[in-house]
């Protein structure tokens, strides 16, 4: 039961992440949305799977993958944001406005 | 082989992770894991460890559990508020500079990673112990507020640790 609720929450995150990417026009806002919502959704899916498997060997692997995602996922968004910032892309510029 | 003998701890940890992820005790799996772990241990020389041992003071188990709990709570708390921002289309990022009190490079890396993981903030640049952060808050005294938030949530844990 818990894992179904968690999976549902992760779908909500993914849907709002997609909506956010299309709604915002600034590169930094899009980055903030895509990287964070992705991480939260992936984490929720993995936690849901851990609940589904219970205390088993498979859960240990999932916990390791979860820790790996937490450690590595900020790096990609950091690199993209840093290159955008260093290339002088204005933070106030709203393309759609 | 000299470096590996000195840093057998890293090699053992890597081997444990290899077996936990592959879950096979066959000879070919053991040999593959052994070779990969030796390469990784060799490549980590100068980055993770040198002649004197490990370069970084690694978090203790209790501190790690506390850190991950705080991080999880923060991620979920701010992700819900971020969903409301998406609905309201309220997203005007601005840049704030945060001066940290800690000087340990590992602590700075963990804090900046935590900032990037928490929805609504993103670390752009690190210069010594000064972080450049993109954030979404649009109040009057934002820079002060972001500074206070980061210091209270994440930096406190590392200052306590010393």
């Amino acid at each position: 039961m818990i894992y179904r609720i968690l999976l549902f929450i992760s779908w909500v995150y993914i849907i709002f992440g997609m909506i956010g990417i299309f709604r915002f026009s600034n590169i930094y806002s899009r980055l903030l949305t895509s990287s964070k919502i992705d991480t939260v959704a992936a984490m929720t899916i993995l936690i849901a799977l851990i609940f589904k498997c219970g205390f088993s060997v498979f859960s240990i692997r999932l916990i390791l993958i979860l820790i790996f995602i937490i450690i590595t996922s900020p790096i990609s968004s950091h690199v993209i944001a840093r290159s955008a910032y260093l290339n002088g892309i204005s933070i106030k510029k709203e393309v759609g406005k | 082989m000299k470096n590996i003998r000195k840093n057998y701890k890293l090699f053992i940890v890597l081997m444990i992770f290899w077996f936990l992820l592959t879950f096979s005790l066959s000879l070919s799996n053991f040999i593959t894991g052994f070779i990969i772990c030796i390469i990784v241990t060799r490549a980590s020389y100068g980055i993770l460890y040198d002649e004197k041992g490990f370069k970084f003071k690694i978090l203790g188990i209790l501190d790690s559990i506390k850190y991950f709990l705080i991080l999880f709570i923060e991620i979920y708390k701010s992700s819900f508020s971020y969903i409301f921002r998406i609905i309201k289309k309220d997203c005007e990022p601005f840049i704030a500079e945060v001066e940290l009190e800690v000087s340990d490079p590992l602590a700075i890396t963990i804090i900046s990673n935590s900032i990037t993981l928490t929805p609504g903030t993103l670390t752009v640049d690190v210069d010594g112990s000064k972080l450049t952060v993109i954030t979404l808050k649009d109040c009057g005294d934002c820079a002060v507020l972001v500074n206070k938030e980061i210091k209270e949530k994440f930096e406190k844990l590392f200052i306590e640790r010393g």
Side-chain angles (χ1 to χ4, degrees), chain A residues 45-66, chain B residues 19-23:
Chain A
I45 290 171
L46 283 170
I47 294 168
L49 291 176
I50 290 167
F51 272 107
K52 171 88 171 80
C53 297
F55 193 74
S56 69
V57 173
F58 198 66
S59 299
I60 298 168
R61 284 191 209 180
L62 288 172
I63 290 168
L64 287 177
I65 295 167
L66 184 64
Chain B
F19 282 117
L20 274 175
L21 285 171
T22 54
F23 255 96

Side-chain angles (χ1 to χ4, degrees), chain B residues 97-113:
Chain B
E97 283 186 345
V98 182
E99 185 80 50
L100 297 175
E101 282 167 43
V102 288
S103 53
D104 180 26
L106 182 71
I108 293 170
T109 313
I110 294 175
I111 291 170
S112 48
N113 252 16

Side-chain angles (χ1 to χ4, degrees), chain B residues 5 11 15 17 67-68 72 81 93 104 109-110 131 146 148:
Chain B
R5 230 176 288 145
F11 179 76
M15 279 303 272
F17 268 76
Y67 164 73
F68 274 110
F72 266 62
S81 66
D104 180 26
T109 313
I110 294 175
L131 303 179
V146 172
K148 202 181 153 198

Side-chain angles (χ1 to χ4, degrees), chain A residues 86-97:
Chain A
L86 294 179
N87 277 309
I89 294 174
S90 169
I91 199 154
K92 291 281 176 200
K93 195 180 165 191
E94 285 276 336
V95 182
K97 276 187 179 175

Side-chain angles (χ1 to χ4, degrees), chain B residues 65-130:
Chain B
I65 293 168
K66 201 174 153 190
Y67 164 73
F68 274 110
L69 273 177
I70 294 171
L71 188 67
F72 266 62
I73 294 165
E74 285 306 319
I75 288 172
Y76 279 100
K77 241 167 63 183
S78 44
S79 62
F80 274 110
S81 66
Y82 199 75
I83 284 179
F84 288 113
R85 274 179 186 275
I86 291 172
I87 296 167
K88 284 191 276 179
K89 209 184 172 185
D90 166 29
C91 189
E92 270 193 34
F94 79 95
I95 286 179
E97 283 186 345
V98 182
E99 185 80 50
L100 297 175
E101 282 167 43
V102 288
S103 53
D104 180 26
L106 182 71
I108 293 170
T109 313
I110 294 175
I111 291 170
S112 48
N113 252 16
S114 318
I115 293 167
T116 311
L117 267 171
T118 331
T121 44
L122 207 157
T123 316
V124 176
D125 207 0
V126 181
D127 179 24
S129 58
K130 196 169 87 181

Side-chain angles (χ1 to χ4, degrees), chain A residues 11-23:
Chain A
W11 295 341
V12 172
Y13 279 133
I14 293 169
I15 290 164
F16 276 103
M18 288 196 305
I19 294 170
I21 290 168
F22 287 109
R23 261 174 98 85

